[in-house]
Each structure stands twice: as C-alpha cells, then as structure tokens.
Amino acid sequence: MGMPLDQKLVIEETIRDMQFETLQSNMQEFEYTDRIEYSILDTRVKLTTYNMKNTKAQYLPVINAFANYGYVGGRNEFGDLMNFSESWFDYSNVGVRISIPIFDGLRKSSIIQQRKLDLEKLDEDRMILRNNIDLNIKQAKIDVKNAVNTLNTQEENMQLAKDVYEAAQLKYKEGIGSSLELTEANSEYLTEQNNYYIALFEALMARVELEKALGLL
C-alpha cells in the first residue's frame, strides 16, 4: 500500500456496511463515455472527423495579403545622406496572393473517401460496443440481485442456526440437553456462518462487476 510500517490503520467501516442499493442511483446517471473503451472509441471518431475536415479544407483557395513600406536613400557623398528631405524617398506596396489547388491526382479525394469508410466502421463499432455494454450491465444487475437474495437467505439461515445453538447451550447447562445435541448445533452454526461469508464474498464480487460495467472502476 506504500504506507509506513509503523503507521496505524483505522478501519472505519465493515464489509457488511457496503450498500448494494446505492448502485441504483449510479445506474440512472450512467453514460457510455464512463466506460474507458467507449471513451477511447469516441475520441477516435472525433480525430477521424477532424482529419477529414482538414483534408477537405485543402481544396479551398489560400489567400495571403501583404504590405511593405520603407525608405531608400542615395547620394554620391556620404554626408549628403543626412539631408533627409532630399536624399531619402519613401516607397510602399500592397498586394494579395491567391493559391488555388488545381489537381493532385485525386490524392485528397482518396483520403477523404478512406476517412468516410473509417467513420462508418467506427460508428458500427460504437453501436456494437453500446449493445455489449447494455448486455454487460443487465447481466451484472441480475447477478447482483441474485447474490444479494442469496446473501439475505444465508444471513437468515445463520441467525436461525445461531438461535438453535444458543438454545442447545441453554438446555445443556440446565441438564436437559445432550452434548451430542450441542455439538451438532455448533457444527450447523459454523457451517451456516461459512455459507454466509461465501455468499457475502460472492455478493461483493457481483457488486464489483456491476461497478466495472457502469464504468465506476
């Protein structure tokens, strides 16, 4: 965990404190872009679209404007150059340069057609991915529901076994119960405890899978 060995850790909640019901609100707010694979695919679509627009823009004429202004001077004697009114003359020019693409051997047209095919393929990939995500979430929701139902059943079974064991202890202390009955009740209680923890683990794993399906992990 990257923490100092002498640092104390304080556990603020138990595994049982985790609420499965809170995932319901998360499902209502779900966006496909929450899934990293869909977000990456969405970015590829945007980049391909920008590339196609950039290629199309190369068909447009390019217009450049320019302007120059300055002075030139000339005299037979260097000293005469200091006479600005007679030795220096200003000049200026203004112009526009237009570049018009004529023919490039259909290279840009070929690139644009390829980009269109790429976009169609990416759109199809997005549709397939959306369907897979929907199926993934639906199956994960079913798994969580079944796991929680099993967990609740095992919790009831464990509590019932605990009640039977405590009753067997009381009867044994009162001398109206046998040690065999107590041993069997204890064994059954331990078995139901083990079944409960297995169900709890499976419920937690189902919850993790649903969070992954929702893009929360």
Side-chain angles (χ1 to χ4, degrees):
M1 296 176 62
M3 299 181 65
L5 295 178
D6 57 350
Q7 182 171 341
K8 293 183 179 180
L9 298 179
V10 179
I11 299 177
E12 297 183 350
E13 60 181 0
T14 65
I15 294 178
R16 196 66 181 98
D17 293 330
M18 299 180 68
Q19 299 296 320
F20 296 93
E21 294 79 6
T22 56
L23 290 177
Q24 286 296 130
S25 59
N26 292 330
M27 283 185 281
Q28 296 173 359
E29 301 170 0
F30 172 73
E31 296 288 344
Y32 288 109
T33 50
D34 292 338
R35 291 279 294 261
I36 184 62
E37 60 269 46
Y38 190 90
S39 181
I40 291 174
L41 193 57
D42 206 34
T43 300
R44 289 178 57 192
V45 171
K46 293 178 181 178
L47 289 176
T48 303
T49 302
Y50 292 150
N51 287 334
M52 185 171 68
K53 289 181 178 180
N54 180 60
T55 304
K56 287 182 177 181
Q58 296 177 23
Y59 280 109
L60 301 175
V62 178
I63 302 176
N64 295 315
F66 60 89
N68 293 301
Y69 182 81
Y71 284 89
V72 272
R75 277 292 186 269
N76 292 331
E77 299 294 333
F78 180 78
D80 294 337
L81 291 176
M82 297 299 101
N83 186 356
F84 290 96
S85 61
E86 296 181 2
S87 302
W88 293 87
F89 307 92
D90 63 339
Y91 71 91
S92 64
N93 61 70
V94 178
V96 176
R97 182 183 298 111
I98 302 177
S99 300
I100 302 176
I102 299 178
F103 184 69
D104 63 351
L106 300 178
R107 183 180 65 86
K108 287 191 289 291
S109 177
S110 176
I111 293 175
I112 291 173
Q113 292 302 317
Q114 183 59 52
R115 293 289 182 268
K116 288 181 179 179
L117 292 176
D118 292 341
L119 282 175
E120 290 178 2
K121 178 63 168 59
L122 288 172
D123 285 338
E124 183 178 350
D125 290 343
R126 281 200 301 188
M127 181 187 68
I128 294 174
L129 182 56
R130 281 196 297 267
N131 291 336
N132 289 338
I133 290 175
D134 290 341
L135 179 61
N136 190 201
I137 292 175
K138 183 177 181 180
Q139 183 60 54
K141 287 167 59 178
I142 293 174
D143 291 343
V144 166
K145 182 178 180 180
N146 292 338
V148 171
N149 289 338
T150 300
L151 177 62
N152 292 334
T153 299
Q154 291 299 334
E155 187 174 18
E156 292 175 0
N157 292 341
M158 182 179 67
Q159 185 60 48
L160 178 60
K162 181 180 179 181
D163 293 341
V164 171
Y165 173 59
E166 290 177 347
Q169 279 185 315
L170 183 59
K171 289 172 61 178
Y172 183 74
K173 289 179 181 179
E174 296 294 332
I176 57 176
S178 66
S179 60
L180 177 60
E181 181 183 4
L182 179 62
T183 300
E184 290 179 346
N186 182 47
S187 177
E188 183 65 24
Y189 177 44
L190 293 176
T191 298
E192 294 302 334
Q193 272 188 322
N194 184 61
N195 291 339
Y196 168 76
Y197 289 123
I198 291 175
L200 177 59
F201 175 78
E202 292 178 349
L204 291 174
M205 290 300 100
R207 184 180 190 272
V208 169
E209 291 301 319
L210 179 54
E211 288 182 333
K212 288 169 61 177
L214 293 172
L216 301 176
L217 294 179

